[in-house]
Amino acid sequence: MNTKDKLLINLKKSSGIWISGEALSKKLSVSRAAISKHIRALKEQGYDIESATKKGYLLKKISDRVLESEIVDGLETKVFGKKKIVYFQETDSTNTQAKILAEQGAPEGTVVIAEKQTKGRGRKGRSWLSPDGDGIYMSVILRPDIPPFEAPRITLLTAVALAEALISQVQLELRIKWPNDILIHGKKIAGILTEISSEMDVIDYIVVGLGLNVNTLPDKFTEDLKKQSTSVLIETGEPFSRVKLVQAFLHWFERYYDILTTRGFTSIIKRWRELADIIGKEIRVDGIGKTYTGKVLTVDDDGVLILKDKHGQTHRIISGDVTLT
Amino acid sequence: MNTKDKLLINLKKSSGIWISGEALSKKLSVSRAAISKHIRALKEQGYDIESATKKGYLLKKISDRVLESEIVDGLETKVFGKKKIVYFQETDSTNTQAKILAEQGAPEGTVVIAEKQTKGRGRKGRSWLSPDGDGIYMSVILRPDIPPFEAPRITLLTAVALAEALISQVQLELRIKWPNDILIHGKKIAGILTEISSEMDVIDYIVVGLGLNVNTLPDKFTEDLKKQSTSVLIETGEPFSRVKLVQAFLHWFERYYDILTTRGFTSIIKRWRELADIIGKEIRVDGIGKTYTGKVLTVDDDGVLILKDKHGQTHRIISGDVTLT
């Protein structure tokens, strides 16, 4: 841990109490000038720290940013977020940045997170609205030892983990929308974008990106999005800590990922089916170049949606846009 | 076309004959100083151009490098190599460079080629020996409208195209080794590395890389490789134009790719089976974490090898290392 993070921990420990520059300097074995320099850096990151001659320093308000120093503080994972968290005040797309890092060899569990995305992406090159400081825009690098054709399982697993995180933190009644969205009262609160880099039979890496609307106010959405989008703030009437949601997601994500690699996909798809509530429903699916209508027989153990049309014919659909009919 | 390429074409047209700086300056509508500048640039690229006062310029020897100016001259394709060729005297890996270009939006048919690779790659992170000026180290960006699970077809298609190019140019008796090598008399002359970037149901891009030993002398191979590797030079006793082989490959590659997108994979896999000569053979396949032995029943229309073991059980194998037993 670097000096700045150690300093932050000491400031947090003595929350509400003044701590002198001299005491901090002794504790961290660095000069008073170094303490003063790091205090300035923390202030720039958004920490509200009061300083006064003779009294020293007082941490008044922790940063509301999704800084590495905040995410790791209390993070209950073994690997995810423990090796490397890359933080951006602003970036094009966390998935794009994560792909660049993965190409350079970044390990499994590397997290990329941003306060704001200028080119936030959804499926098929769609955009994802990513206003500054309102949502969670985060990507995680995975290197699973599964064949490429099983990669869609990762999207379903991520949806389950994100649902569990939201349920555990904000007790919202939500539904997973096949294959990769999370809805509350029919409105989208989160989306997942899975990007895969593979050879014929081996996955090199998967980047799982998620966009989650947390403290987004209704007027931040464009007219088009307003009708179909929501946020934690809109649903509960209160802002919620993005850091806590990030920590909860990483915890559940790692937990389900461990289940996948040790015990397989069966229990995960079972939980997915509970959270999705799509089986037996009459739907329309707009797939690539094709539209299907019919009744959902099941989502099978590979995450493939099995649809029976009015002629009694069944269709296996890997991905598409679902509308209830 | 830029002035330098136009100049080169004019020099080639008057091969063996002196052409004056004044004549060139008039033809290309640029100053004599500009002609002189471009002549210097061509010399630096490896063209042997004599210059003499009053006589002008004489192209004595065309470059033996795989320069864009050489590849496009006589290239019989519509798209492949026609939009963009990125040339490196030396690079880490043409596949790596092509992936970076593809991420930045480079169009289908973009070609990356290098005289030398410092980190030439094969399947599963294996290395590919890429000595300076001896082989073809080339990658092509594709953006096919096929589902990700059909991507392995591209490797088989590439093997067929490369085989056709070699047969048409140097009349060598070769065999495709499933899934991605080309052998002559049991020794490897070429390898193919297919890398796929996809979402759940959509391919973003495929980079097809190939390494082909053309003018590699036996002593260029390491002791380990010597027993199992060969080159066009070793097989025919003569050096061969790498540019001609690049052109022939791009021609056949585009032709088969057009067939795939218009008429489907059936005729391609049929030609593959003719060139592979593996059906009915007793083999061992070392796959990921598993080894299979048995008789090859077929390679099916998806490029999956169907093996029957001694217990009569059949196995579907997507990729692996094959040894005849």
Side-chain angles (χ1 to χ4, degrees):
Chain A
M1 198 183 288
N2 63 37
T3 309
K4 198 177 72 184
D5 287 344
K6 280 186 203 155
L7 173 61
L8 183 59
I9 285 171
N10 274 281
L11 287 170
K12 281 184 182 175
K13 269 188 200 159
S14 52
S15 76
I17 305 163
W18 290 85
I19 180 163
S20 74
E22 203 186 331
L24 287 167
S25 154
K26 270 188 188 161
K27 257 193 173 157
L28 305 179
S29 310
V30 296
S31 69
R32 297 270 309 255
I35 296 291
S36 165
K37 187 190 82 180
H38 291 303
I39 291 281
R40 273 198 305 279
L42 287 171
K43 281 181 175 177
E44 274 166 24
Q45 282 184 356
Y47 290 93
D48 186 0
I49 301 166
E50 206 175 327
S51 43
T53 347
K54 294 199 177 156
K55 282 173 154 180
Y57 303 102
L58 175 69
L59 178 62
K60 294 179 75 179
K61 193 168 147 292
I62 63 164
S63 173
D64 59 352
R65 299 193 196 177
V66 285
L67 297 165
E68 177 176 6
S69 49
E70 292 300 318
I71 294 170
V72 295
D73 186 9
L75 180 63
E76 290 170 4
T77 59
K78 294 188 304 286
V79 177
F80 288 14
K82 284 286 165 79
K83 294 208 172 159
K84 196 177 188 177
I85 297 180
V86 179
Y87 168 86
F88 291 97
Q89 287 241 33
E90 176 180 321
T91 191
D92 48 357
S93 139
T94 58
N95 259 38
T96 302
Q97 294 302 319
K99 280 161 83 177
I100 292 169
L101 288 168
E103 290 288 344
Q104 292 164 350
E108 178 159 277
T110 299
V111 170
V112 178
I113 193 160
E115 300 292 344
K116 178 185 177 181
Q117 293 184 117
T118 53
K119 286 181 185 172
R121 293 189 284 117
R123 267 175 54 224
K124 300 183 200 169
R126 291 171 193 164
S127 65
W128 185 269
L129 185 80
S130 310
D132 195 1
D134 285 340
I136 294 171
Y137 321 117
M138 175 165 79
S139 302
V140 182
I141 296 171
L142 303 178
R143 298 187 183 274
D145 191 15
I146 58 174
F149 67 84
E150 284 184 4
R153 294 180 171 189
I154 299 290
T155 301
L156 303 179
L157 180 160
T158 308
V160 171
L162 185 53
E164 302 278 22
L166 279 166
I167 292 166
S168 69
Q169 294 294 311
V170 284
Q171 290 83 41
L172 286 169
E173 207 175 294
L174 52 81
R175 285 281 154 240
I176 296 174
K177 186 184 171 198
W178 181 86
N180 71 337
D181 290 330
I182 293 191
L183 306 186
I184 295 186
H185 303 131
K187 291 181 170 186
K188 197 188 287 191
I189 195 163
I192 294 157
L193 176 64
T194 313
E195 297 190 274
I196 305 138
S197 177
S198 63
E199 291 180 30
M200 274 177 77
D201 55 342
V202 195
I203 289 174
D204 182 11
Y205 61 83
I206 295 183
V207 167
V208 177
L210 72 92
L212 171 62
N213 303 329
V214 183
N215 299 322
T216 325
L217 288 163
D219 61 5
K220 287 282 182 78
F221 294 114
T222 59
E223 276 310 310
D224 273 5
L225 287 176
K226 221 170 247 180
K227 289 167 226 154
Q228 52 187 9
S229 303
T230 191
S231 70
V232 174
L233 173 60
I234 293 170
E235 294 300 322
T236 65
E238 282 177 11
F240 197 87
S241 160
R242 290 181 299 149
V243 169
K244 283 221 172 86
L245 283 169
V246 167
Q247 291 173 333
F249 169 71
L250 289 174
H251 164 75
W252 285 99
F253 193 35
E254 184 176 278
R255 191 163 153 179
Y256 277 105
Y257 189 66
D258 281 351
I259 292 173
L260 177 76
T261 49
T262 55
R263 283 183 279 152
F265 194 57
T266 315
S267 66
I268 300 167
I269 190 70
K270 204 179 148 207
R271 181 72 179 125
W272 188 93
R273 287 190 194 112
E274 286 170 11
L275 291 163
D277 192 26
I278 194 177
I279 289 145
K281 295 277 194 307
E282 297 284 340
I283 62 165
R284 189 183 75 230
V285 187
D286 293 302
I288 297 168
K290 267 187 191 168
T291 295
Y292 307 89
T293 46
K295 193 175 179 173
V296 181
L297 294 184
T298 190
V299 171
D300 76 8
D301 285 1
D302 288 325
V304 177
L305 190 142
I306 315 292
L307 192 88
K308 190 174 186 172
D309 68 19
K310 61 180 177 185
H311 307 295
Q313 206 180 339
T314 57
H315 303 272
R316 293 173 48 81
I317 313 171
I318 296 174
S319 185
D321 297 312
V322 170
T323 318
L324 292 173
T325 55
Chain B
M1 198 183 286
N2 63 36
T3 310
K4 197 177 74 183
D5 287 344
K6 281 185 201 156
L7 173 62
L8 182 60
I9 285 170
N10 275 283
L11 288 170
K12 281 184 181 174
K13 270 188 200 159
S14 51
S15 75
I17 305 164
W18 289 85
I19 180 163
S20 74
E22 203 185 330
L24 287 167
S25 152
K26 271 190 188 161
K27 257 191 173 159
L28 305 179
S29 311
V30 296
S31 69
R32 297 273 308 258
I35 297 292
S36 163
K37 186 190 81 181
H38 290 304
I39 292 280
R40 274 198 306 279
L42 287 171
K43 281 181 175 177
E44 274 166 24
Q45 282 185 354
Y47 291 94
D48 186 1
I49 300 166
E50 207 175 327
S51 43
T53 349
K54 294 200 177 154
K55 282 174 153 178
Y57 303 102
L58 175 69
L59 177 62
K60 296 178 74 178
K61 195 168 145 291
I62 63 163
S63 173
D64 60 352
R65 299 192 196 176
V66 284
L67 297 164
E68 176 176 8
S69 49
E70 293 299 318
I71 294 170
V72 296
D73 186 8
L75 180 64
E76 289 169 4
T77 59
K78 295 188 302 287
V79 176
F80 288 15
K82 284 286 165 80
K83 294 210 173 158
K84 195 176 189 178
I85 298 180
V86 179
Y87 168 85
F88 291 98
Q89 288 241 33
E90 178 180 319
T91 192
D92 47 359
S93 140
T94 58
N95 259 38
T96 302
Q97 294 302 318
K99 280 162 82 177
I100 292 169
L101 288 167
E103 290 287 345
Q104 292 165 350
E108 177 159 275
T110 299
V111 171
V112 177
I113 193 160
E115 300 291 346
K116 179 185 177 181
Q117 293 184 118
T118 52
K119 286 182 184 170
R121 294 187 284 119
R123 265 174 54 224
K124 298 182 199 170
R126 290 170 193 164
S127 66
W128 185 270
L129 186 81
S130 310
D132 196 2
D134 284 341
I136 294 171
Y137 322 117
M138 176 165 78
S139 302
V140 182
I141 295 171
L142 303 178
R143 298 189 182 272
D145 192 13
I146 57 174
F149 67 85
E150 284 184 4
R153 293 181 172 189
I154 300 290
T155 302
L156 303 178
L157 180 161
T158 308
V160 172
L162 185 53
E164 302 279 21
L166 279 166
I167 292 166
S168 69
Q169 294 294 310
V170 285
Q171 290 83 42
L172 286 168
E173 206 176 293
L174 52 81
R175 285 280 155 239
I176 296 174
K177 186 183 172 197
W178 181 87
N180 70 336
D181 290 329
I182 294 192
L183 307 185
I184 295 185
H185 302 131
K187 290 180 170 185
K188 198 188 287 192
I189 196 164
I192 294 157
L193 175 63
T194 313
E195 296 189 273
I196 305 137
S197 177
S198 62
E199 291 180 29
M200 273 178 78
D201 56 339
V202 195
I203 289 174
D204 181 14
Y205 61 82
I206 296 183
V207 167
V208 177
L210 72 92
L212 171 62
N213 303 328
V214 184
N215 298 322
T216 324
L217 289 162
D219 60 6
K220 287 281 182 80
F221 294 113
T222 59
E223 275 310 311
D224 274 3
L225 287 176
K226 220 172 247 178
K227 289 167 225 154
Q228 52 187 10
S229 302
T230 189
S231 70
V232 175
L233 174 59
I234 293 170
E235 294 300 321
T236 65
E238 281 177 9
F240 196 88
S241 160
R242 289 181 300 150
V243 168
K244 282 220 172 88
L245 282 171
V246 167
Q247 291 173 333
F249 169 70
L250 289 174
H251 165 74
W252 285 100
F253 192 35
E254 184 176 278
R255 192 163 152 179
Y256 276 104
Y257 188 67
D258 281 350
I259 291 173
L260 178 76
T261 49
T262 55
R263 282 184 278 152
F265 194 57
T266 315
S267 66
I268 300 167
I269 191 69
K270 205 179 147 207
R271 181 72 179 126
W272 188 93
R273 288 189 194 112
E274 286 170 12
L275 291 162
D277 193 25
I278 194 178
I279 290 144
K281 293 278 195 306
E282 297 283 340
I283 63 165
R284 191 185 72 229
V285 187
D286 294 301
I288 297 168
K290 269 188 189 167
T291 295
Y292 306 90
T293 47
K295 192 174 179 174
V296 180
L297 294 184
T298 189
V299 170
D300 76 8
D301 285 2
D302 288 326
V304 177
L305 190 140
I306 315 290
L307 193 88
K308 189 176 187 171
D309 69 21
K310 61 181 177 184
H311 308 294
Q313 206 181 337
T314 57
H315 303 273
R316 293 174 49 82
I317 312 171
I318 296 174
S319 185
D321 296 313
V322 170
T323 318
L324 293 173
T325 56

